[in-house]
Amino acid sequence: MSLARARLLLPRKHAVGSVSLIQRRFASHDSHAHHEHHDDAHYSPEAGFSTPFWRNTVLLSLFAVGFYKWAPSPNQDVYLTRWLAQYTTPSEIWATVNQKHLLLSHQASENTILQTDAKRPNVHRYRYPQILDTGSPHLQPVGRVADMSSTVVRSG
């Protein structure tokens, strides 16, 4: 019952007759006679193992057993095996392709390692590079001072 209809049935002020109507509507069914529901529908008996599912299962299992028993062994040279071998690439070609791929992959990994481990060369930066030009190149003992004539001071 909807709420709007129940609100209409609720007792208004000083209305006596509608209370008994609501009590009758919501009363339990204990006072009424119990009626058993008899199912008169006719159900077919269960099919058991005569359904198409079981028939197909038995036929498929017989086919699998027969194929396993009479199929040629893997070492026999059968027409189907020869026909498939005609359209497939020989194993020697795949071996050379795989070897070449292995060598190229190895070279690529070595290049990657070389690039990831690479570092810029160490640069010694002097605080005052003009100090290199202050000394006289003359009257220096042999072997005590390095030859700095080809050194170029860069700004940076």
Side-chain angles (χ1 to χ4, degrees):
M1 177 183 337
S2 69
L3 293 175
R5 186 175 172 121
R7 187 172 185 277
L8 289 175
L9 296 176
L10 283 176
R12 294 187 180 98
K13 292 182 182 179
H14 307 301
V16 180
S18 55
V19 172
S20 63
L21 178 65
I22 292 175
Q23 288 175 349
R24 275 187 274 139
R25 290 287 269 178
F26 294 113
S28 66
H29 297 285
D30 293 339
S31 61
H32 301 291
H34 291 287
H35 298 287
E36 287 190 26
H37 180 67
H38 294 288
D39 191 9
D40 294 334
H42 183 276
Y43 296 107
S44 63
E46 292 183 8
F49 289 105
S50 61
T51 60
F53 170 77
W54 290 109
R55 179 198 62 209
N56 294 340
T57 303
V58 168
L59 290 176
L60 185 66
S61 61
L62 288 175
F63 175 75
V65 167
F67 181 77
Y68 182 75
K69 183 171 182 171
W70 287 294
S73 63
N75 58 2
Q76 290 179 344
D77 189 25
V78 188
Y79 174 73
L80 180 64
T81 307
R82 285 180 283 162
W83 182 72
L84 288 174
Q86 181 180 357
Y87 292 106
T88 57
T89 307
S91 61
E92 294 83 18
I93 293 175
W94 283 115
T96 58
V97 167
N98 288 338
Q99 184 69 25
K100 183 178 178 182
H101 182 271
L102 177 67
L103 293 174
L104 291 174
S105 297
H106 181 68
Q107 182 64 35
S109 66
E110 285 181 351
N111 290 342
T112 303
I113 291 172
L114 178 67
Q115 288 178 359
T116 56
D117 289 346
K119 291 190 239 176
R120 298 186 74 180
N122 292 335
V123 177
H124 297 288
R125 301 202 185 270
Y126 293 106
R127 186 172 220 173
Y128 303 108
Q130 63 271 19
I131 197 80
L132 295 173
D133 295 331
T134 59
S136 171
H138 305 291
L139 297 175
Q140 297 292 329
V142 177
R144 302 226 31 218
V145 178
D147 184 17
M148 305 283 285
S149 61
S150 64
T151 304
V152 178
V153 177
R154 287 192 281 179
S155 61

